[in-house]
Amino acid sequence: MNRKNVVKLADGVYWISIRDWNRRLFDALISLPNGTSYNAYLVTGGSLNALIDTVNPGFEGDLQAKIHAVTNPEDIGYVIMNHAEPDHAGAIPYIMKIASDAKLVTTSRGVKLAQTFYGVPQERIKTVADGETLSLGGKTLRFIEAPMLHWPETMFTYVEEDGILFPCDFFGSHLAMGVYSDEVEDLLVHAQRYWGEIMMPFRAMAQKALEKLKPLNIRVIAPSHGPVHRNPKIILDAYRRWANGETRPKATIMYVSMWGSTESMMDQLAETLASEGVELAIHNLALSDVGDIAKDLVDSRAIALGAPTVLGGAHPLAVYAAYLVKVLRPPAKFAVLLSSYGWGAAAIKQIQEVLGQQNIEVVGALEVNGPPAEEAEKRVAELGKMLSKKILEVS
Ligand code: FEO
């Protein structure tokens, strides 16, 4: 890594990113096939400098070297904590020690987190309100509260003179490569995966934040993971679609099968859906990646979940998938549940209990004893046609 590699986004605005090529897991849950980056930014004004977000613990020295390529780290006047999660705030104690006169800037909800997680004393915290501005001399930072995107304290920072928005996780993607989004193939696929994993449960809050951003003349969006968007319309349009829960005529099929009976039913369902013109994303839960599933749930109009009964309930991988659907709260409107059992049916009841109250209409459910015989196959095909009709009827 070139420790001094910084990118000038505008006069006095610098991308000082740490690329973590080797990271493969986030939150002990989310796989990172492409690594990730922790993007901090430096804004230098005529009278003061501000560091916007920091980096993951372990990269403090690299961040210091990058800051040093632009200015003396001791001269930082403000450390802006857009978000308190350690991948962006973990280097705060290190930087606050070097920049011994710096104030930490956060929302009222961020104060306690800054104290609890990073030991920042009250007298070094500057609390800002929604819409408040801070002048660095020729650079004006505007703070925009964005609660629950995806922690309670989150805010965005906007540099008014340059039209650059720093939204931390929002608009991000877990990618170590690239500086600008137009340099990365299929950037929206990565961004959709990120949305599904991190932001999808908070669609209502995302809608509110997007409304707040409408009056701003945003020329660049500089998130804290992945590339910078210098044509922000593309990601803004995608976020509007995802936040509004716009779906496609698509079904995400998730299943686990021990001896092929459930798989056979899911195959039949998939064939029927495909023949009716429904787009499919199929995930064998024993093989699939959670991030890929989350990505497909973002714009699927329907889900189908298949599992055998084992040990008196649904196969544990299907319970996990149902729980993911419950907590990620995708915009799917319809579902079909299929199961096979040996001597006692229990999977579908348990899956429905795990799913709980969702705005998802279960179009049909079927539990079959043993491998599906001809009658069961016919019933699965009927369910496929019913589900297709529902999916395709939505305009
Ligand atoms: Fe990238 Fe919520 O931290």
Side-chain angles (χ1 to χ4, degrees):
M1 180 173 63
N2 180 351
R3 287 161 62 94
K4 298 205 169 165
N5 177 31
V6 301
V7 175
K8 188 167 149 183
L9 300 182
D11 282 342
V13 182
Y14 301 90
W15 173 91
I16 47 174
S17 172
I18 302 296
R19 300 175 191 270
D20 195 347
W21 295 98
N22 296 323
R23 187 161 182 172
R24 285 294 175 269
L25 196 61
F26 200 88
D27 288 345
L29 174 69
I30 297 164
S31 69
L32 304 177
N34 302 288
T36 192
S37 61
Y38 318 112
N39 304 332
Y41 298 91
L42 195 60
V43 181
T44 58
S47 50
L48 284 164
N49 300 329
L51 176 67
I52 300 180
D53 293 318
T54 68
V55 294
N56 201 79
F59 295 96
E60 294 89 345
D62 299 292
L63 178 64
Q64 182 183 2
K66 294 213 171 206
I67 295 170
H68 209 272
V70 178
T71 189
N72 186 341
E74 292 171 18
D75 293 340
I76 290 170
Y78 294 108
V79 176
I80 313 297
M81 188 179 78
N82 276 333
H83 178 27
E85 195 163 11
D87 52 327
H88 309 294
I92 281 175
Y94 186 91
I95 296 295
M96 293 295 279
K97 195 167 175 188
I98 295 171
S100 55
D101 292 330
K103 289 265 166 94
L104 183 90
V105 178
T106 183
T107 61
S108 58
R109 295 183 184 94
V111 173
K112 189 160 186 307
L113 291 167
Q115 292 170 335
T116 306
F117 278 68
Y118 308 112
V120 184
Q122 180 70 50
E123 64 272 17
R124 294 195 66 189
I125 297 177
K126 178 177 172 53
T127 309
V128 289
D130 190 29
E132 192 171 329
T133 58
L134 183 63
S135 176
L136 306 177
K139 296 286 183 193
T140 310
L141 307 184
R142 177 178 295 278
F143 305 105
I144 301 153
E145 284 196 5
M148 296 317 300
L149 295 175
H150 61 122
W151 279 21
E153 84 300 347
T154 43
M155 69 176 185
F156 305 158
T157 298
Y158 177 68
V159 180
E160 294 193 334
E161 289 79 2
D162 303 300
I164 302 180
L165 181 74
F166 300 96
C168 201
D169 282 336
F170 212 55
F171 303 116
S173 46
H174 279 310
L175 287 171
M177 74 280 271
V179 174
Y180 292 105
S181 55
D182 47 274
E183 299 167 339
V184 176
E185 192 178 9
D186 295 333
L187 185 274
L188 276 188
V189 175
H190 300 288
Q192 180 170 332
R193 179 184 169 106
Y194 186 90
W195 167 275
E197 293 164 333
I198 309 288
M199 298 295 169
M200 188 160 63
F202 307 107
R203 282 189 285 125
M205 304 309 286
Q207 285 177 4
K208 284 184 189 165
L210 291 169
E211 276 304 305
K212 273 187 173 180
L213 296 182
K214 268 188 182 166
L216 304 182
N217 179 22
I218 298 171
R219 297 201 281 274
V220 172
I221 294 178
S224 289
H225 294 292
V228 171
H229 306 275
R230 56 186 165 188
N231 179 1
K233 186 174 183 308
I234 296 169
I235 192 73
L236 279 167
D237 286 349
Y239 261 53
R240 285 194 192 106
R241 288 196 303 275
W242 299 336
N244 291 341
E246 289 182 24
T247 57
R248 298 149 54 88
K250 169 179 169 183
T252 292
I253 293 181
M254 298 167 281
Y255 74 93
V256 53
S257 190
M258 294 164 65
W259 295 105
S261 299
T262 303
E263 185 168 45
S264 171
M265 296 163 76
M266 301 308 280
D267 276 350
Q268 173 77 64
L269 184 74
E271 286 293 323
T272 309
L273 290 170
S275 68
E276 297 292 320
V278 173
E279 184 185 336
L280 297 179
I282 301 180
H283 296 281
N284 179 338
L285 294 167
L287 306 171
S288 277
D289 177 83
V290 169
D292 290 336
I293 295 173
K295 174 186 74 65
D296 284 319
L297 289 173
V298 169
D299 56 3
S300 285
R301 200 164 292 162
I303 59 172
L305 184 53
T309 290
V310 56
L311 301 173
H315 189 288
L317 290 177
V319 174
Y320 179 53
Y323 184 71
L324 268 184
V325 170
K326 177 189 167 77
V327 295
L328 292 179
R329 297 158 75 182
K333 293 175 166 41
F334 311 109
V336 161
L337 308 175
L338 301 179
S339 177
S340 165
Y341 63 93
W343 55 92
I348 287 188
K349 181 169 176 285
Q350 188 181 15
I351 287 170
Q352 285 180 314
E353 282 170 3
V354 174
L355 283 172
Q357 293 297 318
Q358 301 259 340
N359 289 324
I360 299 178
E361 176 190 342
V362 178
V363 174
L366 181 64
E367 288 187 298
V368 171
N369 188 202
E374 194 178 335
E375 198 50 40
E377 285 179 353
K378 271 192 201 156
R379 180 67 189 134
V380 173
E382 282 168 17
L383 284 174
K385 287 199 171 159
M386 284 165 60
L387 185 60
S388 304
K389 191 159 179 287
K390 293 270 187 185
I391 290 170
L392 298 171
E393 268 175 6
V394 175
S395 57

